[in-house]
Amino acid sequence: METLKISLNKKKYYVNIGYNIINNKDLVSKLKIFKNSVLITNTTIYKIYKNNVINNFKRLGIINKKIILQDGEIYKTFDSVQLIIEKLIKLNCGRNITLISFGGGVIGDITGFVSSIYKRGIKYINIPTTLLSQVDASIGGKTGVNNHLSKNVIGTFYHPEIVIIDLMFLRTLPKKEIISGFSEIIKYSILFDKNFFYWIKNNLNNILFMKKNFLLKCIKKSCEFKIKIISEDEKEKNSRMLLNLGHTFGHAIESFTKYKWSHGESVSSGIVMSSIFSNVLGKISSSEVNEIINLFKLIGLPTIGPKNMYSKDYLKYMLRDKKNICNKKVRLIIPEKIGRCVLLDNVDTNILIKVINKNFIN
Ligand code: NAD
Ligand code: GLY
């Protein structure tokens, strides 16, 4: 088991990464310390893990109760928050409970958010079960839900007590969701590390066949990049904004498609559009844009947005993005080259429209 430490101003916690670590004795004893824990999961994960992991948690006294939500991004709403809170009240849960999030980014974001507001704050633990949540959503303390007008606009910064990343859970994850998770892994490589980008490209078969050591390297490296950034800029005043590469377009796609496009699929298209935007400004070279497009294609991720989504649709949602300052201009993260990205303020809407209309794809 590998352990990474997150040291923030007011909070320290550990990210444990490994294969079948959910049964690790030390971890189990750590989990047992959090008394009165309530498991939060969804119907899909409950069905798969009821007879082993969840029953085991019960048997070991790690969890007392469980709350099972419907599965899907469309349930990442205030209604689900209310539902959990009402159940906690009915179960007479006091401030001393701990919530255990057992699921992907959706369950993690909701659980973290409830934890930050229930009785003015209770503890929570993250056990991410998708690749995307293992490399991104489970660490860094961003919690929240969507509003029907915009994605992720309601939320808090509130960190878990411990994160347990067990690669064993990926064995039951549908291929589509594995591919979706690679969007965020490739994002880190474009942001910070050209060598990592080409390592992914050169080892694609081993990675896609989920060879343990290759997958472990992808997950650990991604967590290290994220931990470095959140340690410098926990509340996204500065460098943490970089982690939103591709997300301004991506969130627009998710909202427009009513979440039929997954987060990862939307982000890969968004990263390509940001790269083309940068190329139009004379920053990243056309050959590097093509490298980015090709890697996403090789993995099986989309490189253009939905066919029926037009520039007016993008702009509607992009102007609502939470990074924007209220001046009716979009803010965008763009790659200057593979391994280095910058934040652009006051994005020129005319160029944005041309990029969206694919006038510049070469
Ligand atoms: P998800 O949580 O919807 O999970 C995807 C699907 O996989 C779901 O159907 C789920 O039930 C299923 N699933 C999960 N684990 C499984 C397993 N082990 N076996 C079989 N099926 C399993 O989606 P996601 O991609 O994990 O997360 C996307 C969400 O994360 C978005 O809402 C996004 O905004 C959020 N996010 C948050 C952060 C953050 O910093 N808080 C970062 C990135 C993304
Ligand atoms: N996923 C972006 C962030 O955590 O800041």
Side-chain angles (χ1 to χ4, degrees), residues 42 44-45 48-49 71-73 76 103-107 109 129-130 132-133 136-137 139 142-143 151-152 169-170 172-174 177 180 184 226 240 247 251 254 263:
N42 72 24
T44 308
I45 298 158
I48 302 173
Y49 290 106
D71 183 8
E73 179 82 34
K76 196 175 123 176
V106 168
I107 290 293
D109 281 8
T129 59
T130 61
L132 192 137
S133 58
D136 191 353
I139 44 183
K142 273 192 187 174
T143 81
K151 186 177 157 70
N152 280 352
F169 294 127
L170 303 180
T172 58
L173 193 64
E177 298 299 339
S180 187
E184 299 283 8
K226 181 143 189 191
R240 187 166 180 171
H247 285 56
H251 285 171
E254 285 185 86
H263 184 69

Side-chain angles (χ1 to χ4, degrees), residues 213-347:
N213 287 344
F214 290 86
L215 206 52
L216 189 63
K217 173 165 172 171
C218 288
I219 295 173
K220 189 175 166 222
K221 253 189 134 15
S222 301
C223 291
E224 284 168 343
F225 288 127
K226 181 143 189 191
I227 291 171
K228 183 170 180 295
I229 287 288
I230 61 165
S231 309
E232 299 167 4
D233 178 25
E234 183 189 344
K235 299 270 168 78
E236 200 172 273
K237 303 268 181 265
N238 229 305
S239 56
R240 187 166 180 171
M241 278 193 239
L242 293 176
L243 297 180
N244 290 302
L245 172 66
H247 285 56
T248 315
F249 290 104
H251 285 171
I253 295 174
E254 285 185 86
S255 299
F256 175 80
T257 60
K258 301 208 170 12
Y259 304 106
K260 287 194 181 70
W261 277 51
S262 75
H263 184 69
E265 289 166 343
S266 307
V267 166
S268 64
S269 306
I271 292 177
V272 171
M273 285 192 240
S274 310
S275 307
I276 294 170
F277 191 92
S278 170
N279 181 249
V280 170
L281 296 189
K283 291 178 185 281
I284 194 170
S285 67
S286 300
S287 66
E288 284 209 323
V289 175
N290 286 330
E291 288 279 353
I292 292 172
I293 292 175
N294 286 339
L295 184 54
F296 282 133
K297 279 189 178 161
L298 285 171
I299 296 251
L301 281 160
T303 53
I304 51 169
K307 287 204 173 70
N308 61 342
M309 189 169 175
Y310 301 104
S311 50
K312 68 171 178 19
D313 305 314
Y314 280 95
L315 284 177
K316 177 172 133 190
Y317 292 107
M318 288 173 88
L319 286 166
R320 293 175 185 166
D321 188 84
K322 62 185 176 318
K323 281 187 304 305
N324 297 344
I325 306 164
C326 295
N327 65 353
K328 301 208 165 174
K329 288 274 188 182
V330 171
R331 295 176 111 187
L332 211 55
I333 315 298
I334 56 162
E336 290 191 319
K337 54 185 193 168
I338 294 174
R340 193 176 72 214
C341 295
V342 289
L343 169 72
L344 265 193
D345 273 324
N346 293 326
V347 163

Side-chain angles (χ1 to χ4, degrees), residues 51-307:
N51 291 332
N52 38 56
V53 178
I54 297 177
N55 274 349
N56 217 24
F57 278 170
K58 264 194 221 153
R59 197 177 50 76
L60 292 165
I62 292 173
I63 57 164
N64 272 346
K65 304 267 179 319
K66 55 182 185 305
I67 297 175
I68 303 164
L69 303 179
Q70 295 298 309
D71 183 8
E73 179 82 34
I74 52 164
Y75 296 101
K76 196 175 123 176
T77 58
F78 249 130
D79 284 349
S80 297
V81 171
Q82 282 280 28
L83 187 147
I84 296 175
I85 288 177
E86 283 175 13
K87 290 208 169 173
L88 294 177
I89 296 171
K90 285 180 186 160
L91 291 168
N92 294 325
C93 290
R95 266 192 185 147
N96 59 340
I97 62 158
T98 301
L99 300 186
I100 299 187
S101 159
F102 184 48
V106 168
I107 290 293
D109 281 8
I110 300 174
T111 306
F113 184 57
V114 170
S115 307
S116 70
I117 57 173
Y118 183 68
K119 304 211 168 168
R120 298 205 172 81
I122 56 173
K123 291 178 175 165
Y124 78 107
I125 289 164
N126 263 338
I127 308 182
T129 59
T130 61
L131 181 60
L132 192 137
S133 58
Q134 297 192 340
V135 298
D136 191 353
S138 62
I139 44 183
K142 273 192 187 174
T143 81
V145 291
N146 305 325
N147 172 276
H148 72 104
L149 294 174
S150 188
K151 186 177 157 70
N152 280 352
V153 276
I154 304 152
T156 54
F157 286 102
Y158 196 72
H159 295 269
E161 297 302 307
I162 180 168
V163 182
I164 299 172
I165 297 179
D166 193 331
L167 276 69
M168 193 188 62
F169 294 127
L170 303 180
R171 288 201 314 197
T172 58
L173 193 64
K175 183 93 181 163
K176 180 180 183 291
E177 298 299 339
I178 296 281
I179 287 173
S180 187
F182 272 103
S183 197
E184 299 283 8
I185 296 173
I186 294 171
K187 175 192 81 177
Y188 291 117
S189 74
I190 297 170
L191 280 171
F192 307 119
D193 191 340
K194 187 175 180 162
N195 291 336
F196 184 39
F197 180 91
Y198 286 105
W199 179 86
I200 297 173
K201 185 177 170 189
N202 295 331
N203 292 285
L204 212 55
N205 277 342
N206 289 321
I207 293 169
L208 287 176
F209 280 110
M210 312 262 289
K211 293 223 174 123
K212 234 189 262 173
N213 287 344
F214 290 86
L215 206 52
L216 189 63
K217 173 165 172 171
C218 288
I219 295 173
K220 189 175 166 222
K221 253 189 134 15
S222 301
C223 291
E224 284 168 343
F225 288 127
K226 181 143 189 191
I227 291 171
K228 183 170 180 295
I229 287 288
I230 61 165
S231 309
E232 299 167 4
D233 178 25
E234 183 189 344
K235 299 270 168 78
E236 200 172 273
K237 303 268 181 265
N238 229 305
S239 56
R240 187 166 180 171
M241 278 193 239
L242 293 176
L243 297 180
N244 290 302
L245 172 66
H247 285 56
T248 315
F249 290 104
H251 285 171
I253 295 174
E254 285 185 86
S255 299
F256 175 80
T257 60
K258 301 208 170 12
Y259 304 106
K260 287 194 181 70
W261 277 51
S262 75
H263 184 69
E265 289 166 343
S266 307
V267 166
S268 64
S269 306
I271 292 177
V272 171
M273 285 192 240
S274 310
S275 307
I276 294 170
F277 191 92
S278 170
N279 181 249
V280 170
L281 296 189
K283 291 178 185 281
I284 194 170
S285 67
S286 300
S287 66
E288 284 209 323
V289 175
N290 286 330
E291 288 279 353
I292 292 172
I293 292 175
N294 286 339
L295 184 54
F296 282 133
K297 279 189 178 161
L298 285 171
I299 296 251
L301 281 160
T303 53
I304 51 169
K307 287 204 173 70

